[in-house]
Amino acid sequence: MPKSGNLKKVVVLGGGTGLSTLLRGLKKYPVDLTAVVTVADDGGSSGRLLDEYDIPPPGDIRKVMAALSDVEPLIEEMFEYRFATSEDLKGHSLGNLMLAAMTDITGDFARAVEQMSRVLNIKGKVLPAANQRITLHAELEDGTIVTGESKIPVYGRKIRKVYLSPQEVEPLPETIEAINSADLIIIGPGSLYTSILPALLVQSIRKAVLSCKAKKVYINNLTTQAGETHRYTASEHVQALYDHAGESFIDTVLLNGTEFSTLQGGKEWMGPPWPVENDLETLQQLVPNIVVKDICLLLNGTIIHDSEKVAKWLIDYMENGIETEQT
């Protein structure tokens, strides 16, 4: 295996289940991996800890740390364990509580993540997009302003834009350093407005992503999401990224080419959720390179990315260059 100093550097931005799924595939490869994770969640256990301890919400961070951990399965299961009975603990995951406790001990959320990463022996680095409490807001198409990540999808109206407060929030210096030295920047998959864009809305992160020399790949979502991207096409996902970044910046977009019906023996897929339409003609005007691959699977009735297939393609892309033909 190559020495760490010779490893290709990969930075992944986002949050939620999509990011965790992707990282479970990438961690199997000899790369210098950094996950820059959104910290805008204000619901559930994360929201309660945010209010009680005034710390960045740990939920997405916890999921990513579990995905990148290299410990006995029982330890990972314990870290992800969610209490269901005690009134005080009900709904809290043990990992969230551990991160809150470590923040209280160290006095710094990023330091707590660093220390817990050692305990879990994670592959790579996990960095919060911000080291302080931030709030996500959305302006809907009718002008309504919605405050709070968990409330945004509830309204069921088209989102015009999302933004953070405070707007001058600064990321960790390590985050900017990782982006500037990266060989590959991966954006997505995940909830477009509440998992992916909040990381890019941190001004210094956005500027670093736009100016760095790394190739930038967007992994498009498999399905549209009620309350966020209802019936969005692939190009509408990309256009939303560009609108919030202020310019086009994606080199390659990876799309799913698997018909959902084939995943259930040819039986017609009855949404929701609905597959994202690959409107290639429009997308070609936005992104230099488009790759369509069979990259999804059906797990317990849910369509998810095949982490092994996506990770393999990303590593091949980084090492051998773009596959220009659509397949």
Side-chain angles (χ1 to χ4, degrees), residues 33-63:
L33 191 57
T34 300
V36 179
V37 186
T38 292
V39 285
D41 186 10
D42 67 344
S45 171
S46 285
R48 289 162 62 191
L49 292 173
L50 183 148
D51 291 333
E52 293 171 12
Y53 290 90
D54 195 31
I55 63 172
D60 281 358
I61 292 280
R62 184 200 79 246
K63 293 174 188 174

Side-chain angles (χ1 to χ4, degrees), residues 212-273:
C212 73
K213 296 180 180 179
K215 289 294 185 182
K216 303 167 187 79
V217 174
Y218 174 54
I219 302 175
N220 203 56
N221 290 339
L222 302 170
T223 65
T224 60
Q225 184 175 353
E228 285 202 37
T229 56
H230 179 63
R231 295 294 195 176
Y232 267 35
T233 64
S235 69
E236 287 177 305
H237 283 78
V238 171
Q239 189 63 60
L241 291 171
Y242 289 176
D243 289 344
H244 286 78
E247 62 182 84
S248 58
F249 65 95
I250 295 169
D251 296 297
T252 302
V253 62
L254 177 62
L255 304 174
N256 172 56
T258 304
E259 292 288 342
F260 287 1
S261 60
T262 65
L263 300 175
Q264 46 185 17
K267 182 181 178 182
E268 183 182 359
W269 178 262
M270 302 297 290

Side-chain angles (χ1 to χ4, degrees), residues 91-258:
H92 280 306
S93 72
L94 181 58
N96 284 1
L97 295 175
M98 292 171 72
L99 283 166
M102 189 65 78
T103 302
D104 200 34
I105 292 169
T106 63
D108 182 83
F109 182 68
R111 177 71 171 162
V113 173
E114 180 184 352
Q115 293 299 318
M116 284 304 304
S117 295
R118 293 177 180 174
V119 172
L120 292 172
N121 191 30
I122 71 164
K123 169 70 182 294
K125 296 183 288 293
V126 177
L127 301 173
N131 197 28
Q132 66 183 76
R133 179 173 180 168
I134 59 175
T135 302
L136 183 67
H137 309 269
E139 179 183 335
L140 307 182
E141 63 178 348
D142 63 359
T144 301
I145 302 297
V146 182
T147 296
E149 177 270 343
S150 63
K151 299 179 181 65
I152 291 172
V154 175
Y155 279 72
R157 279 172 257 166
K158 190 171 183 179
I159 297 170
R160 183 177 295 160
K161 67 176 181 178
V162 289
Y163 58 95
L164 300 177
S165 64
Q167 294 187 10
E168 64 276 8
V169 63
E170 286 295 326
L172 298 168
E174 301 97 298
T175 300
I176 303 305
E177 181 181 343
I179 293 171
N180 287 337
S181 62
D183 296 293
L184 181 66
I185 303 286
I186 304 169
I187 299 158
S191 298
L192 179 61
Y193 289 102
T194 55
S195 289
I196 297 174
L197 279 169
L200 285 171
L201 289 173
V202 177
Q203 293 182 16
S204 296
I205 290 179
R206 180 170 67 254
K207 291 177 181 178
V209 169
L210 294 179
S211 63
C212 73
K213 296 180 180 179
K215 289 294 185 182
K216 303 167 187 79
V217 174
Y218 174 54
I219 302 175
N220 203 56
N221 290 339
L222 302 170
T223 65
T224 60
Q225 184 175 353
E228 285 202 37
T229 56
H230 179 63
R231 295 294 195 176
Y232 267 35
T233 64
S235 69
E236 287 177 305
H237 283 78
V238 171
Q239 189 63 60
L241 291 171
Y242 289 176
D243 289 344
H244 286 78
E247 62 182 84
S248 58
F249 65 95
I250 295 169
D251 296 297
T252 302
V253 62
L254 177 62
L255 304 174
N256 172 56
T258 304

